[in-house]
Structure formats: C-alpha cells, structure tokens
Amino acid sequence: MNLAEEYRRFITAAKTERETIDLAVMLAEEKGFVPLEKCGTLRPGERVFTTCRGKCMAMAVIGSETLENGLSIVGAHVDSPRLDLKPRPLYEEAGLALFKTHYYGGVKKYQWVDIPLALHGVVVKEDGQIVKLVIGEKETDPVFTIADLLPHLAKDQMEKKMSEGISGEGLNLLAGGVPVADEGAQEKIKQTVLDYLNREYGFQEEDLISAEIEAVPAWPARDVGLDRSMIGAYGQDDRVSVFTTLKAIVQLPTPLRTAVALFVDKEEIGSVGNTGMYSAFFTNFVAELAVRILPQYSEISLRRILAHSRALSADVNAALDPNYPDVMDKFNAARLGHGVVLTKYTGSGGKKGTSDAHAEFMGLVRRLFNQHGVVWQSGLLGKVDQGGGGTIAYLLAVHGMDVVDCGVALLGMHSPFEVAHKADIYMAYRGYRVFLGA
Ligand code: MN
Ligand code: MN
C-alpha cells in the first residue's frame, strides 16, 4: 500500500516519455547516480546513468565480478498509446477551432472520445528556445475533448464495426470557440487560439511544426475498489515497470554482476527510431561502461558482456478479465493480484515474432523468485490464434543474452484508464530487485 501510494503520484505525473525520463533522472541523481559521461575509470559500487534525447535512459550499479560475466538487466519502455498533434494541427470549422491528431500505438479509437484530455509536450521556437507545455492537469486549467456523435443521429455509425465507428481523421480536439474582434482576420476562431498561444507562450503558428505535443487523459491515477486493492491510471503499460525497476535499482547494494536498468522509447510502434530498442543506444551504453572498467577493452569484450548477460523484459501482460473470459486460455492466463507474471513467450499466430525463453532460463528465474519469496505466476497473452503482441524481449535476445518477459498483469491495457493490482506492483518491484541483485 505504501509503495502503491508513491506509484500513484508517479504515474499521475509521468504522462509522456519525456516526463517519465525527467522523473527517473531526478530520482537517480537524488540516489547518487551520476552521468556516465562525467566518469573516468569505474569501480564496483559506483552508480551511473545516461539518457538519449530526453526519451530513453540506462542506469547501472557496477558489480564486483568482471564485466565479461555479463550484466543483469531489467528493461522497460517509457512510451504509451496516446494522440499526437499533427505538425499542422490547428484549423477552423463550423465556428470552432480544432487540433488534428494522429494516434500513437494500438488504441481502440472509441475509447478516446468524450473524455477530458490534457496536452503535454515541447515546442521548439524559431530561435531554438525549448518550451515545455502542460495544459489540462491543474483543476483550473481548461481541457480538450473529442466529441462523439449523439445517439439520436448515430444510426449509420452504430451499424459500423467497432474499429470503424470512430475514424482516425475524426480524432480532432476541441480547442476554441470565440472569434477575435479584428474584422479583417481571415479565420477568427483559429486566430483566438493563436493569439492565446502567442500571449501565454510566445508561439507563432509555425512553431507547432517543430513541436511534439501529446493528448493524454487529463485525470489523475485513482484507487479502484472499496478495498483500494487496485490502481486505475493512464500509461501503466509500461510505466508501472519503469517505476518498479527504478525503485529496485536505486536501493541495490553493490551486486556481483553489474546491474542495469533500461528505459526505452517507441516500443508501442515497433521499437524504431534512435530512442527505441532497435537503436544503438543500449549497446553504446554498454560499450561506454566497458571502456571505463576493462583495461583492455575491445569489440570482443563488448560481445562477451552482451552474450553473457541475462535480462528481464519488464512489460505488462493481460489479466484474465471476468467480462471477457473467452479470449483467454484460463489455465495459462495471468490473474490480477496473483503476483508478478513470467511470460515464456508472446508473439501471435504460431508464436511468430517472439523470443521464446529457454526452459533453463525460466528455471533460473523461477528458482530465484521462489528462494526470495517473490510471489509470481505464469501467464500467456490470450488464447492461441486470438491475437497477440510483443515486447522488447526479442531485441535484447539479439545480443545472445537470455531474456524472459516479466511484469504486472493489467485489465483494460492500452485504454485511457488501465487497471493494475497493488500486490502485483509490489511483487514486480521485489522480483526486479532480486533479479538485479543476484
Ligand atoms: Mn508494453
Ligand atoms: Mn503496449
């Protein structure tokens, strides 16, 4: 309950990948982690971190064993499904000003209409100044919303498939409704919004092209259930893993194997880009560590370190939903409140795309958790041929290391209000800590 209270505040504040990394850096520095770039030779017990473009991060506690024995890694992702403003978002129609969006990641579009949305992001002005922006989180702030069609006129819409009921180009946020007084202005309502942005932030319309603004649910995380056993919040996939991994690594005494926490971006859209798991960020970090620890560093040392490493891919899984039991194999589904979930494989349609964890590695993690009283369960993502999904596990496995998916089970995954069980959050934290310290 105490850990969950801290988590509730974290998940309410960390609504974008940038905000998550900012909070992680703050906590890391508070706990004595220093930027790797500033370090010379590293010795056991030293704590370092590095970030890339404010969107991904790696932390390490240097172990007492030689680095070539491999690292113990827990890796999570910091991005979550959301609606991104388009580069030219603002337009006027029917006497209203609106922002156009492009959804990010796997969303069910109908879940994002008729709810209060906040805008979070950065705008880079013409002179290079970077302005951070959060509108809609304070009780006195205005919010944004996408109005759905009233049922009275929704005859055609209601006949459509759920995937087509709300269109991608229909995800437009209400942004204003008062015209400017200036008789000569072309689009008077749009001008009101532009005038506001100029007055409050000094923005010109063109500044929105060099910006990343994300529309996210404007509500805070809340306790769910009369017994307060659960937490409902936006972005728990996968920031629940980020939080629990962070809490685990900052408390770690000097381990035998060097312990690494990895927080990457872009998992929800395929781990692409220079802040995603496909990028060189992680291997560069390990190389930067190695060159500061091994007197005779070479490429073969890097390859050995990576191949001898072992990793938990810290990501959420789906819990058995009492409203939808038919999509799960009940004998292999994770249950809310039954502990952290070990997922041997993800993938879809014949295990395609998964990094299937080896029995030996499942055995090692199981033994470790059992020895240290970590309550865990085995889970799979749904029935065979029901669908599926993936994590960053297969991109860690590329280096030759052993990896298994391990995380918290959710109800309503990818929705604006995902639900997790506090006991599972606590056991994820315990599990990651045991794994990093082993
Ligand atoms: Mn995830
Ligand atoms: Mn996801």
Side-chain angles (χ1 to χ4, degrees):
M1 287 293 175
N2 292 340
L3 185 78
E5 187 50 28
E6 205 179 321
Y7 171 61
R8 197 181 54 72
R9 289 195 298 270
F10 172 88
I11 197 74
T12 295
K15 288 201 177 174
T16 67
E17 65 281 37
R18 288 176 191 263
E19 289 168 357
T20 307
I21 295 298
D22 285 351
L23 282 172
V25 167
M26 218 194 301
L27 183 68
E29 289 188 320
E30 212 179 279
K31 299 289 182 182
F33 285 75
V34 295
L36 179 59
E37 296 74 25
K38 290 186 183 160
C39 297
T41 309
L42 289 173
R43 289 180 194 85
E46 291 199 75
R47 297 156 174 262
V48 295
F49 74 93
T50 194
T51 62
C52 179
R53 291 173 174 79
K55 296 180 177 180
C56 60
M57 177 179 186
M59 302 165 68
V61 181
I62 311 303
S64 50
E65 278 182 7
T66 168
L67 210 54
E68 289 194 5
N69 287 0
L71 314 163
S72 295
I73 302 160
V74 179
H77 66 93
V78 292
D79 60 317
S80 296
R82 60 184 191 247
L83 307 178
D84 286 340
L85 292 203
K86 288 189 183 187
R88 297 185 61 180
L90 187 60
Y91 70 103
E92 179 174 331
E93 193 81 61
L96 296 166
L98 298 103
F99 286 126
K100 295 202 73 63
T101 69
H102 194 148
Y103 64 94
Y104 172 97
V107 304
K108 293 164 91 174
K109 297 184 198 82
Y110 69 82
Q111 295 178 335
W112 293 77
V113 296
D114 290 338
I115 62 171
L117 295 165
L119 294 181
H120 290 233
V122 296
V123 177
V124 180
K125 290 163 68 170
E126 173 124 51
D127 62 5
Q129 191 198 340
I130 300 165
V131 181
K132 284 188 189 175
L133 178 109
V134 177
I135 308 172
E137 295 295 345
K138 286 197 219 106
E139 220 160 302
T140 50
D141 277 356
V143 295
F144 306 85
T145 194
I146 300 161
D148 191 10
L149 195 55
L150 64 170
H152 316 63
L153 301 178
K155 190 170 146 293
D156 293 343
Q157 184 195 36
M158 296 296 273
E159 298 299 317
K160 289 182 178 171
K161 292 199 292 181
M162 279 174 94
S163 59
E164 291 161 3
I166 305 288
S167 72
E169 288 294 345
L171 295 173
N172 303 311
L173 308 176
L174 286 172
V178 176
V180 286
D182 178 7
E183 285 296 328
Q186 285 272 313
E187 295 174 295
K188 295 191 173 62
I189 315 267
K190 176 177 164 180
Q191 196 57 51
T192 300
V193 174
L194 286 173
D195 287 352
Y196 175 86
L197 291 174
N198 186 265
R199 208 167 51 240
E200 291 295 314
Y201 302 99
F203 296 161
Q204 307 298 319
E205 187 172 9
E206 195 181 291
D207 290 332
L208 298 176
I209 290 178
S210 50
E212 288 174 335
I213 303 175
E214 307 176 9
V216 297
W219 49 60
R222 301 290 296 267
D223 284 347
V224 174
L226 289 172
D227 55 7
R228 298 180 177 266
S229 53
M230 296 164 277
I231 283 205
Y234 162 69
Q236 301 204 66
D237 174 9
D238 187 29
R239 296 175 196 135
V240 67
S241 308
V242 174
F243 173 80
T244 43
T245 303
L246 256 175
K247 291 299 289 181
I249 196 163
V250 298
Q251 295 174 352
L252 210 63
T254 306
L256 291 175
R257 300 158 66 87
T258 294
V260 170
L262 178 63
F263 306 126
V264 288
D265 183 29
K266 297 289 187 285
E267 192 275 344
E268 296 294 357
I269 58 166
S271 295
V272 291
N274 62 5
T275 52
M277 197 60 222
Y278 264 114
S279 76
F281 170 70
F282 170 64
T283 36
N284 288 352
F285 171 73
V286 178
E288 293 284 357
L289 273 186
V291 81
R292 287 168 170 81
I293 295 171
L294 300 173
Q296 288 176 319
Y297 172 77
S298 69
E299 195 200 333
I300 194 65
S301 346
L302 177 63
R303 285 173 178 266
R304 282 180 190 143
I305 296 163
L306 289 169
H308 296 157
S309 291
R310 50 196 195 207
L312 294 182
S313 161
D315 208 338
V316 297
N317 199 337
L320 182 64
D321 187 330
N323 288 320
Y324 302 95
D326 295 346
V327 300
M328 296 289 195
D329 159 13
K330 66 179 179 189
F331 301 108
N332 281 284
R335 284 162 165 78
L336 224 60
H338 287 228
V340 65
V341 187
L342 283 178
T343 305
K344 188 174 185 301
Y345 52 86
T346 56
S348 60
K351 292 191 173 183
K352 277 200 191 71
T354 188
S355 160
D356 201 344
H358 298 295
E360 292 85 344
F361 191 56
M362 288 294 285
L364 184 147
V365 177
R366 176 170 75 111
R367 203 156 49 243
L368 213 61
F369 284 5
N370 283 343
Q371 276 168 2
H372 291 87
V374 176
V375 179
W376 63 278
Q377 57 181 325
S378 164
L380 289 177
L381 186 53
K383 266 184 182 168
V384 177
D385 289 338
Q386 185 70 44
T391 64
I392 62 165
Y394 71 105
L395 293 168
L396 288 160
V398 159
H399 302 290
M401 72 183 73
D402 271 317
V403 56
V404 63
D405 282 298
C406 177
V408 170
L410 296 183
L411 290 174
M413 193 198 296
H414 282 208
S415 81
F417 197 68
E418 303 171 310
V419 176
H421 197 290
K422 292 180 180 178
D424 299 337
I425 297 169
Y426 180 61
M427 282 303 160
Y429 150 74
R430 289 272 313 276
Y432 298 153
R433 180 144 182 220
V434 162
F435 183 83
L436 288 173

